[in-house]
Amino acid sequence: MKNKVYIYRSFERFWHWMQALLIFFLAMTGFEIHGSISFFGYQNAVKYHNTAAYAFIVLIVFAIFWHFATGEWRQYIPTVKNLKAQLNYYLFGIFSNAPHPTRKTVLSKLNPLQKLVYLALKILVIPTMVISGLLYMFYRYPQNGGIVGMNIDSVKVIALFHTAGAFLLLAFIIVHLYLITTGTTVTSNLKAMVTGYEDLETAEHDNKQTVPETVSEIISEVVDE
Ligand code: HEM
């Protein structure tokens, strides 16, 4: 039976779209600084990139608070259950109209592949971008002011991490845009992130489904096959 379910709350949707906008803008200005594109002009690109970076950090602070205040961080606990099935679906099943291997519910709105990828973004890629970006910001300027003793090689390492992260985010955006279209209908995922509501298949036992809360429940969720 299909029911209209409120799946993405208002802050979550605001955070998602602001994050999308900021990452897109940071990528655009960043790749102009990198020399790959030319749009705003180098000087402006640097200025806009710095401003957007501060806005991004503020958004991240609010998002971290929201995830812990609501307990929604639990959505990202990775699991191997159905991971292979989900991967098989995207690689093969989807092309032969196979059914989705996992079902979205309010308590489990991310499929196992999303849990893994989003967690990696949250704890690896985004922190790498923020830390390397801040180091980049505060490493460069004193040097411009003439502090000769600063180690140039470290800036190269910082730039390498920052640029590698930018390419990973770019790859993520491309795959993400494609996967958005693979919901129940081509636009159902997009609509859900805009309105908060999605028509979902609901079953009696959904009400009894719980999210892992204790450490042992979390561990068994991660390793359960
Ligand atoms: C809080 C997050 C971020 C901070 C603090 C930050 C800061 C910086 C700084 C200071 C620079 C060097 C600017 C200059 O050379 O004058 C830079 C370059 C760059 N940024 Fe960011 N950035 C952040 C996020 C991002 C994101 C999310 C992306 C891409 C999606 C990105 C892509 C780039 C790229 C491609 C460059 C050029 C790197 C190079 O060629 O060395 N940045 N960033």
Side-chain angles (χ1 to χ4, degrees):
M1 190 180 64
K2 287 227 166 168
N3 269 319
K4 216 176 176 65
V5 180
Y6 189 47
I7 195 135
Y8 299 119
R9 295 186 240 178
S10 47
F11 175 80
E12 195 169 18
R13 284 176 281 140
F14 165 77
W15 160 64
H16 173 270
W17 289 115
M18 277 307 286
Q19 177 172 253
L21 206 78
L22 284 170
I23 291 181
F24 178 75
F25 189 67
L26 283 161
M28 238 186 120
T29 47
F31 279 109
E32 176 143 17
I33 297 167
H34 192 64
S36 321
I37 54 169
S38 158
F39 190 77
F40 297 109
Y42 183 81
Q43 297 274 338
N44 282 335
V46 171
K47 223 165 54 193
Y48 297 160
H49 194 80
N50 283 348
T51 310
Y54 283 124
F56 190 37
I57 290 171
V58 171
L59 184 69
I60 290 170
V61 171
F62 277 100
I64 291 173
F65 176 77
W66 180 84
H67 276 86
F68 285 105
T70 57
E72 283 292 291
W73 65 272
R74 290 197 182 86
Q75 299 271 358
Y76 300 85
I77 297 168
T79 173
V80 288
K81 196 162 55 186
N82 283 326
L83 185 62
K84 234 169 99 190
Q86 192 70 41
L87 205 62
N88 266 329
Y89 172 74
Y90 286 133
L91 291 175
F92 310 109
I94 196 167
F95 302 110
S96 56
N97 256 342
H100 279 267
T102 53
R103 205 155 43 83
K104 214 190 254 185
T105 68
V106 177
L107 290 176
S108 177
K109 56 191 169 202
L110 304 175
N111 72 47
L113 207 59
Q114 283 176 312
K115 281 180 203 272
L116 202 65
V117 172
Y118 295 173
L119 183 70
L121 283 179
K122 277 177 191 297
I123 64 169
L124 291 176
V125 184
I126 305 271
T128 299
M129 294 311 282
V130 173
I131 293 166
S132 61
L134 286 175
L135 286 173
Y136 215 149
M137 247 182 218
F138 292 106
Y139 219 89
R140 234 174 177 228
Y141 299 136
Q143 208 175 48
N144 286 345
I147 300 175
V148 192
M150 296 295 261
N151 186 353
I152 296 271
D153 282 352
S154 312
V155 179
K156 282 190 190 153
V157 175
I158 292 165
L160 205 71
F161 272 99
H162 201 71
T163 310
F167 275 108
L168 274 180
L169 279 174
L170 202 63
F172 168 77
I173 291 169
I174 294 166
V175 176
H176 190 64
L177 287 176
Y178 160 63
L179 290 180
I180 283 172
T181 65
T182 63
T184 321
T185 67
V186 171
T187 54
S188 62
N189 284 337
L190 181 65
K191 269 193 201 143
M193 197 45 96
V194 173
T195 65
Y197 288 93
E198 186 167 349
D199 286 329
L200 295 178
E201 201 68 50
T202 50
E204 190 62 24
H205 69 268
D206 280 357
N207 301 330
K208 295 181 199 118
Q209 202 174 335
T210 54
V211 281
E213 292 202 347
T214 62
V215 173
S216 64
E217 278 171 0
I218 290 172
I219 291 170
S220 70
E221 171 81 4
V222 174
V223 296
D224 188 8
E225 213 138 3

